[in-house]
Amino acid sequence: MVTAPALPAAVRCAWQAHPHGTPSEPVVRHWLGAQLRCAPDAVALARDVLGRPRLCAAQSGFDVNWSHSGDGLMVALGEGLSVGVDLERLRPRPRALEIARRFLAAGEADWLASLPDDARGLAFIRLWCAKEAVLKAHGRGLAFGLDKLTFREVDGRLQLVDCDRALGLPESWSLRELEPHTGYRAALAWRARA
């Protein structure tokens, strides 16, 4: 696995090539075992009622999340933090603006519409990854609603500027956009556990 650079000590994230359609949990357990200094079979993973993976028992001070797309896998681990990660393979998104107008915040859709056609697809993926990373860290995922949080590009980086009260204050969230491998974009989000 390739580790994401320059993250705070309490946050770890890594990329691995992972063939589409193969189970990711064994790879995740192996990486978590190395991070938590235990055997992969000692990593106690369970799913909550919404299907989100959780670490149990001795590892309960940590939070884990992962995402796969195409032939890639991203795994994130946070100590004393809630973490979420989303990975997307870059490919043409001819309906990006239509999807944005339907599911994203109005200001985000307007921003995408203002971009040249050749830049819109990447901007859409960046927004999608950022939103999904936050929503996964929150624990509800996409079902919570992509329109319930708003990002704005500030100095070339996406910043959470508004969100539903259930997500807490926008400034409580940290986001790191990543390009973990050629042809992929990802976002990693975290905040202190409540």
Side-chain angles (χ1 to χ4, degrees):
M1 282 204 171
V2 178
T3 303
L7 292 172
V11 182
R12 294 171 237 170
C13 186
W15 148 272
Q16 173 156 340
H18 184 73
H20 177 75
T22 60
S24 53
E25 197 165 304
V27 176
V28 169
R29 281 181 187 279
H30 181 76
W31 183 77
L32 287 171
Q35 300 303 306
L36 299 170
R37 295 183 171 87
C38 64
D41 359 344
V43 174
L45 280 173
R47 300 251 179 197
D48 67 17
V49 295
L50 298 173
R52 188 185 191 284
R54 301 278 181 195
L55 286 161
C56 309
Q59 294 118 11
S60 65
F62 292 88
D63 190 33
V64 64
N65 198 248
W66 63 87
S67 179
H68 44 83
S69 180
D71 289 324
L73 173 69
M74 289 288 296
V75 184
L77 180 68
E79 184 172 5
L81 303 168
S82 294
V83 295
V85 65
D86 187 49
L87 174 71
E88 296 292 334
R89 183 176 59 85
L90 297 178
R91 59 182 174 76
R93 311 279 174 157
R95 296 180 53 225
L97 195 52
E98 176 187 337
I99 293 167
R101 292 238 182 263
R102 183 170 178 198
F103 295 106
L104 305 185
E108 294 166 334
D110 291 344
W111 173 62
L112 290 172
S114 76
L115 296 174
D117 290 343
D118 61 341
R120 189 174 298 131
L122 179 58
F124 175 80
I125 290 301
R126 289 176 58 214
L127 269 174
W128 188 276
C129 285
K131 285 175 171 274
E132 191 162 355
V134 168
L135 293 174
K136 288 172 74 176
H138 175 250
R140 294 284 307 277
L142 294 177
F144 186 76
L146 291 167
D147 61 332
K148 293 185 179 177
L149 63 166
T150 303
F151 284 89
R152 185 175 330 143
E153 189 176 47
V154 178
D155 297 326
R157 295 175 17 176
L158 291 178
Q159 181 179 348
L160 184 61
V161 294
D162 191 34
C163 59
D164 186 279
R165 291 175 57 162
L167 294 170
L169 298 173
E171 56 270 16
S172 69
W173 288 96
S174 295
L175 180 80
R176 187 70 49 89
E177 292 183 79
L178 304 166
E179 189 175 345
H181 193 283
T182 304
Y184 290 86
R185 288 301 288 241
L188 171 65
W190 68 91
R191 71 171 175 179
R193 281 196 181 170

